Coordinates of all heavy atoms in Angstrom, one line a residue:
E461 N 16.5 213.5 265.4 CA 16.7 214.3 266.5 C 15.4 214.3 267.4 O 15.5 214.4 268.6 CB 17.1 215.7 266.1 CG 17.5 216.6 267.2 CD 18.4 217.8 266.8 OE1 19.1 217.6 265.8 OE2 18.3 218.8 267.4
G462 N 14.3 214.2 266.7 CA 13.0 214.1 267.5 C 13.0 212.8 268.3 O 12.5 212.8 269.4
Y463 N 13.5 211.7 267.7 CA 13.5 210.5 268.5 C 14.4 210.7 269.7 O 14.1 210.2 270.8 CB 14.2 209.4 267.6 CG 13.4 209.0 266.4 CD1 13.9 208.0 265.5 CD2 12.2 209.5 266.0 CE1 13.3 207.6 264.4 CE2 11.5 209.1 264.9 CZ 12.1 208.2 264.1 OH 11.4 207.8 262.9
Y464 N 15.5 211.3 269.5 CA 16.5 211.6 270.6 C 15.8 212.3 271.7 O 15.9 212.0 272.9 CB 17.7 212.3 270.0 CG 18.7 212.8 271.0 CD1 19.7 211.9 271.5 CD2 18.8 214.1 271.5 CE1 20.7 212.3 272.4 CE2 19.7 214.5 272.4 CZ 20.7 213.6 272.8 OH 21.7 214.1 273.7
K465 N 15.1 213.4 271.4 CA 14.4 214.2 272.4 C 13.3 213.4 273.1 O 13.1 213.6 274.3 CB 13.8 215.4 271.8 CG 14.9 216.4 271.3 CD 14.2 217.6 270.6 CE 15.3 218.6 270.2 NZ 14.7 219.8 269.4
E466 N 12.7 212.5 272.4 CA 11.6 211.7 273.1 C 12.2 210.7 274.0 O 11.6 210.4 275.1 CB 10.7 211.0 272.0 CG 9.5 210.3 272.7 CD 8.4 210.0 271.7 OE1 8.5 210.4 270.6 OE2 7.5 209.4 272.2
L467 N 13.3 210.1 273.7 CA 14.0 209.2 274.6 C 14.4 209.9 275.9 O 14.4 209.3 277.0 CB 15.2 208.5 274.0 CG 14.9 207.4 272.9 CD1 16.1 206.9 272.2 CD2 14.1 206.3 273.5
I468 N 14.8 211.1 275.7 CA 15.2 211.9 276.9 C 13.9 212.2 277.7 O 13.9 212.1 279.0 CB 15.9 213.2 276.5 CG1 17.3 212.9 275.9 CG2 16.0 214.2 277.7 CD1 18.0 214.1 275.3
A469 N 12.9 212.6 277.0 CA 11.6 212.9 277.7 C 11.1 211.7 278.5 O 10.5 211.8 279.6 CB 10.6 213.4 276.7
R470 N 11.4 210.5 278.0 CA 10.9 209.3 278.7 C 11.9 208.8 279.7 O 11.7 207.8 280.3 CB 10.7 208.2 277.6 CG 9.5 208.4 276.7 CD 9.4 207.4 275.6 NE 8.3 207.5 274.8 CZ 7.1 206.8 275.0 NH1 7.0 206.0 276.0 NH2 6.1 206.9 274.2
N471 N 13.0 209.6 280.0 CA 14.0 209.3 281.0 C 14.7 208.0 280.7 O 15.3 207.4 281.6 CB 13.3 209.2 282.4 CG 12.8 210.5 282.8 OD1 13.5 211.6 282.8 ND2 11.5 210.6 283.2
L472 N 14.8 207.6 279.4 CA 15.6 206.5 279.0 C 17.0 206.9 278.6 O 18.0 206.1 278.6 CB 15.0 205.8 277.8 CG 13.6 205.2 278.2 CD1 12.9 204.6 276.9 CD2 13.7 204.1 279.3
L473 N 17.2 208.2 278.3 CA 18.5 208.8 278.2 C 18.5 210.1 279.1 O 17.4 210.6 279.4 CB 18.8 209.3 276.7 CG 18.8 208.2 275.6 CD1 19.0 208.9 274.3 CD2 19.9 207.2 275.9
Q474 N 19.7 210.5 279.4 CA 19.8 211.7 280.2 C 20.8 212.7 279.7 O 21.9 212.2 279.2 CB 20.0 211.4 281.7 CG 21.3 210.6 281.9 CD 21.4 209.9 283.3 OE1 20.4 209.7 283.9 NE2 22.6 209.7 283.8
I475 N 20.6 214.0 279.8 CA 21.6 215.0 279.3 C 22.6 215.1 280.4 O 22.3 215.1 281.6 CB 20.9 216.3 279.1 CG1 19.8 216.2 278.0 CG2 21.9 217.4 278.8 CD1 19.0 217.4 277.9
T476 N 23.9 215.1 280.0 CA 25.0 215.1 281.0 C 25.5 216.5 281.4 O 26.0 216.7 282.4 CB 26.2 214.3 280.4 OG1 26.6 214.9 279.2 CG2 25.8 212.9 280.2
E477 N 25.3 217.5 280.5 CA 25.7 218.8 280.8 C 24.6 219.8 280.6 O 24.0 219.8 279.6 CB 26.9 219.3 280.0 CG 28.2 218.5 280.2 CD 28.8 218.8 281.6 OE1 28.5 219.9 282.1 OE2 29.6 218.0 282.1
R478 N 24.4 220.7 281.6 CA 23.3 221.7 281.6 C 23.4 222.6 280.4 O 22.4 222.9 279.7 CB 23.3 222.5 282.9 CG 22.3 223.6 282.9 CD 20.9 223.1 282.9 NE 20.0 224.1 282.4 CZ 19.6 225.2 283.0 NH1 20.0 225.4 284.2 NH2 18.7 226.0 282.4
F479 N 24.6 223.1 280.1 CA 24.7 224.1 279.1 C 25.3 223.5 277.8 O 25.8 224.2 276.9 CB 25.6 225.3 279.5 CG 25.0 226.1 280.6 CD1 25.3 226.0 281.9 CD2 23.9 227.0 280.3 CE1 24.8 226.7 282.9 CE2 23.3 227.8 281.3 CZ 23.7 227.6 282.6
S480 N 25.1 222.2 277.6 CA 25.6 221.6 276.4 C 24.6 221.6 275.3 O 24.9 221.1 274.2 CB 26.1 220.1 276.7 OG 24.9 219.3 276.9
N481 N 23.4 222.2 275.5 CA 22.3 222.2 274.5 C 21.9 220.8 274.1 O 21.6 220.5 273.0 CB 22.8 223.0 273.3 CG 21.6 223.5 272.5 OD1 20.5 223.7 273.1 ND2 21.7 223.7 271.2
A482 N 22.0 219.9 275.1 CA 21.7 218.5 274.9 C 22.5 217.8 273.9 O 22.1 216.8 273.3 CB 20.2 218.3 274.6
Y483 N 23.7 218.3 273.6 CA 24.6 217.6 272.7 C 25.2 216.3 273.2 O 25.4 215.4 272.4 CB 25.8 218.5 272.3 CG 25.5 219.8 271.5 CD1 26.2 220.9 271.7 CD2 24.4 219.7 270.6 CE1 25.9 222.1 270.9 CE2 24.1 220.8 269.9 CZ 24.8 222.0 270.0 OH 24.5 223.1 269.3
E484 N 25.3 216.2 274.5 CA 25.9 215.0 275.1 C 24.9 214.3 276.0 O 24.2 215.0 276.8 CB 27.2 215.4 275.9 CG 28.1 214.3 276.3 CD 29.4 214.7 276.9 OE1 29.6 215.9 276.9 OE2 30.2 213.8 277.3
F485 N 24.9 213.0 276.0 CA 23.9 212.2 276.7 C 24.6 211.1 277.4 O 25.7 210.7 277.1 CB 22.8 211.7 275.8 CG 23.3 210.6 274.9 CD1 23.1 209.3 275.2 CD2 23.8 210.9 273.6 CE1 23.5 208.3 274.4 CE2 24.3 209.9 272.8 CZ 24.1 208.6 273.2
G486 N 23.9 210.5 278.4 CA 24.3 209.3 279.1 C 23.1 208.4 279.2 O 22.0 208.7 279.0
M487 N 23.5 207.1 279.6 CA 22.4 206.1 279.9 C 22.8 205.4 281.2 O 23.9 205.0 281.4 CB 22.4 205.1 278.7 CG 21.4 203.9 279.0 SD 21.4 202.8 277.6 CE 20.1 203.5 276.6
H488 N 21.8 205.3 282.1 CA 22.0 204.7 283.3 C 22.5 203.2 283.1 O 22.0 202.5 282.2 CB 20.7 204.7 284.1 CG 20.9 204.3 285.6 ND1 21.1 203.1 286.0 CD2 20.9 205.1 286.7 CE1 21.2 203.1 287.4 NE2 21.1 204.3 287.8
D489 N 23.4 202.8 284.0 CA 23.9 201.4 283.8 C 22.9 200.3 283.8 O 23.0 199.3 283.1 CB 25.0 201.1 284.9 CG 26.2 201.9 284.8 OD1 26.6 202.2 283.6 OD2 26.9 202.3 285.8
V490 N 21.9 200.5 284.7 CA 20.8 199.5 284.7 C 20.0 199.5 283.4 O 19.7 198.4 282.9 CB 19.8 199.8 285.9 CG1 18.6 198.9 285.9 CG2 20.6 199.7 287.2
L491 N 19.8 200.7 282.8 CA 19.1 200.7 281.5 C 20.0 200.1 280.5 O 19.5 199.4 279.6 CB 18.8 202.1 281.2 CG 17.6 202.8 282.0 CD1 17.6 204.3 281.8 CD2 16.3 202.2 281.5
R492 N 21.3 200.4 280.5 CA 22.2 199.8 279.5 C 22.2 198.2 279.6 O 22.1 197.5 278.6 CB 23.6 200.4 279.7 CG 24.5 200.0 278.6 CD 25.9 200.6 278.7 NE 25.8 202.0 278.8 CZ 25.7 202.8 277.7 NH1 25.7 202.2 276.5 NH2 25.7 204.1 277.8
S493 N 22.3 197.8 280.9 CA 22.3 196.3 281.1 C 21.0 195.7 280.6 O 21.0 194.6 280.0 CB 22.5 196.0 282.6 OG 23.7 196.5 283.0
F494 N 19.9 196.4 280.9 CA 18.6 195.9 280.4 C 18.5 195.8 278.9 O 18.1 194.8 278.3 CB 17.5 196.8 280.9 CG 16.1 196.6 280.3 CD1 15.4 195.5 280.7 CD2 15.6 197.4 279.4 CE1 14.1 195.2 280.2 CE2 14.3 197.2 278.9 CZ 13.6 196.1 279.3
G495 N 19.0 196.9 278.2 CA 19.0 196.9 276.7 C 19.9 195.8 276.2 O 19.6 195.1 275.2
Q496 N 21.1 195.6 276.8 CA 22.0 194.5 276.3 C 21.4 193.1 276.5 O 21.7 192.3 275.7 CB 23.3 194.7 277.1 CG 24.1 195.9 276.7 CD 25.3 196.2 277.5 OE1 25.6 195.4 278.4 NE2 26.1 197.2 277.2
K497 N 20.6 193.0 277.6 CA 20.0 191.7 277.7 C 18.9 191.4 276.6 O 18.8 190.3 276.1 CB 19.3 191.6 279.1 CG 18.6 190.3 279.4 CD 18.1 190.2 280.8 CE 17.4 188.8 281.0 NZ 18.3 187.7 280.8
L498 N 18.2 192.5 276.2 CA 17.2 192.3 275.2 C 17.9 192.0 273.8 O 17.2 191.3 273.0 CB 16.4 193.6 275.0 CG 15.4 193.9 276.2 CD1 14.8 195.3 275.9 CD2 14.4 192.8 276.4
M499 N 19.1 192.4 273.6 CA 19.7 192.2 272.3 C 20.7 191.1 272.3 O 21.5 190.9 271.3 CB 20.4 193.5 271.8 CG 21.6 193.9 272.7 SD 22.3 195.4 272.1 CE 23.6 195.6 273.2
E500 N 20.8 190.3 273.4 CA 21.9 189.3 273.5 C 21.8 188.2 272.5 O 22.8 187.6 272.2 CB 21.8 188.6 274.9 CG 20.5 187.8 275.2 CD 20.5 187.3 276.6 OE1 21.5 187.5 277.4 OE2 19.5 186.7 277.0
D501 N 20.7 188.0 271.8 CA 20.6 187.0 270.7 C 21.4 187.4 269.5 O 21.9 186.6 268.7 CB 19.2 186.8 270.3 CG 18.4 186.0 271.3 OD1 19.1 185.4 272.2 OD2 17.2 186.0 271.3

Side-chain angles (χ1 to χ4, degrees):
E461 193 159 328
Y463 297 176
Y464 175 81
K465 290 177 180 178
E466 186 161 354
L467 288 175
I468 291 172
R470 289 174 176 267
N471 294 307
L472 297 174
L473 298 179
Q474 56 195 28
I475 299 170
T476 56
E477 291 292 339
R478 171 68 204 284
F479 292 103
S480 71
N481 203 27
Y483 290 148
E484 194 170 357
F485 71 93
M487 176 179 270
H488 194 286
D489 288 331
V490 173
L491 286 166
R492 189 179 299 279
S493 298
F494 171 74
Q496 290 173 359
K497 181 173 180 59
L498 290 178
M499 66 181 182
E500 64 185 355
D501 286 345

